[in-house]
Every structure is written in structure tokens, then in C-alpha cells.
Amino acid sequence: PKPMVQIDNKPIIWHIMSLYAKHGIKDFIIALGYKGQVIKDFFLNYKENISDFKINLKSGKIESYNYEFEDWNINLVDTGLNTMTGGRIKKLKHLIKEDDFLLTYGDGLSNVDINKLIEFHKSHGKIATVTAVRPNARFGELDISGIDVKSFKEKPQINNGWINGGFFVFKRGFIDLIDDSFTVLEAEPLEKAASAGQLVAHKHHGFWQCVDTPRDKEFLDQLAIQNNLYPWIK
């Protein structure tokens, strides 16, 4: 599953959860679908996955070292192989007890300030907040007049239009806009919220990167190596 693609030898989902934990959010619900057992196995064997260890093959004795456990509480819930994005949230409603809850996908990294996002959400009082981002273009941008190139920018940030950055805050009542397992989050529920004036955008100008291709993964790996840290968690 895409959330288990590794960036600097740690799965994307670990990086995302680390961002939330940095801002004090340590209670997680993971909606499992395609190859969900892979994610379960990672957390079931977390100590072995994140630590160095030595093993005696004859006795089977294992000694782990050079590790630190995160103080995270995690619910891993099988929400169905063919369930749509909205339907997965619907199936988690019984586990969501707070008036507001956070949601994100498992395939994008950002240094969005989660606490500021929550504050913004609570300040406007609407049912839904989406983080809006302007990613870098994949190719150089040409400003052309007729056949003359007026300017050339190597992979600039997109100037026109914002896109869904994938970091949401919802009031619990938002779940009632989801009909069933076949509901796509990005279709009816968010469209209904927008039409009713209940969807607000929090504009994020900092780091954001989706992981859709091997090229995206390589880019993030290089950032980790070059900076000796994660710019999406700093």
C-alpha cells in the first residue's frame, strides 16, 4: 500500500504520524483497505522494524538496541477493500468521540502547522476545513507571447489556483453528509459542504509534496539526505 512506501527507510505513514505527534496529536485511527495487513504487520512488529538488533541463530535470542518508542495510541480498522474514501470515514464514526477530528491521506508530506490549522478551523465555526496548497510544477514554466518566450522559470510554484493538500479538520457532524460505503469524500460530501458555505480553505505556503511516482519518492529521499532532517516535520 502507498502509505508503506519508504522515505529514508521509514514508511510515509510514519512520517505523517510524526508530524501530528510533533503538534501533540498522538491518538490515531488508520482506515485500512488495500493490503491493510502490511500496515498491521508494521505496527505489530514495530520494535523490530525501527530498531537495530543482534540475533543468535542457534538460541534465537534477539537483543534490540538503538530505538525509541513513540507514545502513540493507534486504532487499525479494516474498512473494506472496495470502500471509497468517504465510506471509510463513515465506518469509523463510532470511534470518533470528539466534536472535531483531523483527517489526511496516506500519500503526502507537509510541514503544515497542525495546531494553527485546528485554531483556524475553530475560529470560523464551519463544518469543514481543507488545507489548500500550491505545489511546484513538474516542468519548467514558459510565459509565451506569440512565439516569443517572455520568461522561463525552472519548476516554479504554480501561481494560479490552489489544490487540495489533503490535511482536513471536520466537525463530527460532517460524517452525516456521507451516504454509504460507496461515497467518495471528494465528491458529494465536500461538494455539499462547499455549496452550503460550510467548507473553508486554510492556505498553506510552506512545504508540501505528494508521493505519486518513483520520482516523488526519490525527491523526498534526496531532501532527507541533503538536509539531514525531514523538512516536512521540522
Side-chain angles (χ1 to χ4, degrees), residues 168-181:
F168 298 92
V169 188
F170 294 121
K171 289 191 178 298
R172 192 171 184 273
F174 174 83
I175 302 175
D176 295 332
L177 298 179
I178 302 171
D179 293 330
D180 52 38
S181 297

Side-chain angles (χ1 to χ4, degrees), residues 184-200:
V184 177
L185 171 67
E186 298 77 14
E188 294 93 342
L190 286 175
E191 289 178 359
K192 287 178 183 176
S195 297
Q198 289 293 317
L199 176 61
V200 180

Side-chain angles (χ1 to χ4, degrees), residues 6 33 48 54 63 100 143-144 168 183 194 196 198 222 225:
Q6 294 203 344
E48 288 75 15
K54 60 181 180 179
E63 294 182 30
D100 298 290
D143 179 11
I144 302 175
F168 298 92
T183 302
Q198 289 293 317
Q222 287 301 312
I225 293 171

Side-chain angles (χ1 to χ4, degrees), residues 53-101:
F53 63 87
K54 60 181 180 179
I55 181 171
N56 183 288
L57 296 180
K58 184 176 181 179
S59 67
K61 182 180 179 181
I62 299 175
E63 294 182 30
S64 299
Y65 61 94
N66 195 26
Y67 66 90
E68 181 178 348
F69 286 134
E70 286 81 5
D71 183 21
W72 299 349
N73 299 304
I74 310 171
N75 263 301
L76 296 103
V77 184
D78 186 356
T79 54
L81 181 61
N82 298 311
T83 305
M84 296 291 101
T85 47
R88 295 191 190 283
I89 302 170
K90 190 84 169 179
K91 290 186 176 183
L92 301 178
K93 183 176 181 179
H94 66 289
L95 295 173
I96 299 172
K97 307 299 183 182
E98 302 293 331
D99 292 334
D100 298 290
F101 67 97

Side-chain angles (χ1 to χ4, degrees), residues 3-4 10-32 39-40 42-44 46 50 70-76 102-110 112 114 167 230 232-233:
M4 293 304 296
K10 297 182 182 69
I12 294 172
I13 195 168
W14 179 91
H15 290 280
I16 294 171
M17 294 167 74
S18 294
L19 170 70
Y20 280 101
K22 176 192 171 185
H23 292 91
I25 307 297
K26 299 181 180 181
D27 294 318
F28 301 96
I29 306 171
I30 301 175
L32 302 173
I39 299 177
K40 285 184 178 180
F42 173 76
F43 287 107
L44 281 172
Y46 190 73
I50 68 166
E70 286 81 5
D71 183 21
W72 299 349
N73 299 304
I74 310 171
N75 263 301
L76 296 103
L102 297 121
L103 171 77
T104 193
Y105 307 118
D107 61 354
L109 299 176
S110 176
V112 58
I114 300 296
F167 288 81
Y230 304 132
W232 47 91
I233 301 178

